[in-house]
Amino acid sequence: MEDSFHFKLRGIIYEVIPEEDNTYTVFRMGDEYLQILKNKNNKWMRIDYKTDLPVVEENDEVEDIGSIIDKYMLS
C-alpha cells in the first residue's frame, strides 16, 4: 500500500490515504471528508458513508481529486 500524500486544490489542503481496491480516504483541512474509488471504467466515484456504496453522480471535486491521485500514483 502507498503512503498518504498532501496536495492543494482551489486553496484547500487535502490529504489522501490509499486503502484497498482502488479506494481512497480523503481528508480536507485535517478533517475526514470523503471516500472515493476508481471503478473498472476508470470513473471516480464518492462512497456514501451510510450505505458504503458508490454514488453515481457528476461531482467535479471528486473528479479533480481523482485526477490528482492518478498523477501522483504514476509519478
Side-chain angles (χ1 to χ4, degrees):
M1 189 175 329
E2 299 283 328
D3 291 332
S4 69
F5 64 96
H6 294 82
F7 66 92
K8 192 173 190 178
L9 176 67
R10 297 183 194 108
I12 298 171
I13 298 171
Y14 294 86
E15 179 182 9
V16 174
I17 299 175
E19 307 288 347
E20 298 176 353
D21 300 325
N22 289 327
T23 302
Y24 301 84
T25 299
V26 180
F27 289 78
R28 186 167 109 167
M29 303 297 284
D31 295 322
E32 189 169 342
Y33 180 53
L34 54 81
Q35 278 193 311
I36 63 174
L37 71 89
K38 188 174 190 178
N39 70 14
K40 293 177 184 175
N41 296 326
N42 291 324
K43 173 81 172 144
W44 287 97
M45 304 169 76
R46 177 178 63 86
I47 297 174
D48 185 279
Y49 276 110
K50 293 180 183 176
T51 64
D52 210 25
L53 296 172
V55 177
V56 179
E57 67 182 358
E58 289 295 320
N59 187 319
D60 291 338
E61 183 181 30
V62 169
E63 287 293 326
D64 292 344
I65 292 169
S67 177
I68 291 168
I69 291 171
D70 282 337
K71 290 176 186 171
Y72 178 83
M73 293 302 177
L74 289 175
S75 64

